[in-house]
């Protein structure tokens, strides 16, 4: 059973920063499309924010991704957080080996307070 383990998250004041981590076996990081998603409202479609190298225009002025190969871990660095960034953030390994195989982390809640 492949595990995608997330850590980080929590509550932060607006303007603050948080770093999320996503740890998975090396072969998962190498052979899957790693993506970070955010779901701001339960039941609402997840929004893809970043892959393992780049973030979308929506957040790339504040969010960045990095990888520590020694720890088999991806990081999502989030700066200048605002209340609209509140949501559940999930790391996903998708389209592994070019197939429909995917593995999802449990997600972590990020709450930004004013």
């Amino acid at each position: 059973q492949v595990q995608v383990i997330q850590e980080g998250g929590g509550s932060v004041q607006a303007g603050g920063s948080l770093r999320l981590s996503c740890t998975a076996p090396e072969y998962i990081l190498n052979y899957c499309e790693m993506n970070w998603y955010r779901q701001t409202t339960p039941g609402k479609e997840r929004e893809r924010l970043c892959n393992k190298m780049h973030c979308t225009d929506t957040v790339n002025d504040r969010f960045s991704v990095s990888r520590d190969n020694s720890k088999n871990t991806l990081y999502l660095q989030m700066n200048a957080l605002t209340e609209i960034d509140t949501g559940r953030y999930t790391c996903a390994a998708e389209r592994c080996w070019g197939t429909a195989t995917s593995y999802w982390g449990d997600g972590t809640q990020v709450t930004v307070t004013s």
Side-chain angles (χ1 to χ4, degrees), residues 28-63:
I28 292 295
L29 299 181
N30 288 341
Y31 295 108
C32 302
E33 295 180 16
M34 302 300 299
N35 291 302
W36 289 96
Y37 288 88
R38 176 173 68 192
Q39 186 180 41
T40 55
T41 305
K44 186 178 177 181
E45 185 175 349
R46 290 188 186 101
E47 173 190 12
R48 191 178 72 83
L49 300 176
C50 308
N51 59 24
K52 58 186 171 185
M53 294 187 67
H54 304 289
C55 295
T56 64
D57 290 344
T58 304
V59 297
N60 68 3
D61 58 335
R62 301 181 295 121
F63 292 9

Side-chain angles (χ1 to χ4, degrees), residues 9-110:
S11 184
V12 64
Q13 284 193 319
S17 298
L18 280 175
R19 188 177 76 164
L20 309 182
S21 67
C22 174
T23 301
E26 183 179 3
Y27 64 90
I28 292 295
L29 299 181
N30 288 341
Y31 295 108
C32 302
E33 295 180 16
M34 302 300 299
N35 291 302
W36 289 96
Y37 288 88
R38 176 173 68 192
Q39 186 180 41
T40 55
T41 305
K44 186 178 177 181
E45 185 175 349
R46 290 188 186 101
E47 173 190 12
R48 191 178 72 83
L49 300 176
C50 308
N51 59 24
K52 58 186 171 185
M53 294 187 67
H54 304 289
C55 295
T56 64
D57 290 344
T58 304
V59 297
N60 68 3
D61 58 335
R62 301 181 295 121
F63 292 9
S64 61
V65 291
S66 62
R67 174 173 173 172
D68 185 336
N69 290 328
S70 69
K71 298 180 179 179
N72 293 333
T73 298
L74 299 177
Y75 298 98
L76 176 64
Q77 178 68 42
M78 305 183 293
N79 299 324
L81 287 163
T82 71
E83 290 175 307
I84 64 172
D85 294 315
T86 293
R88 190 161 190 84
Y89 288 70
T90 306
C91 175
E94 299 182 274
R95 289 175 285 282
C96 300
W97 304 283
T99 72
T101 301
S102 64
Y103 305 96
W104 290 76
D106 290 336
T108 186
Q109 181 66 29
V110 170

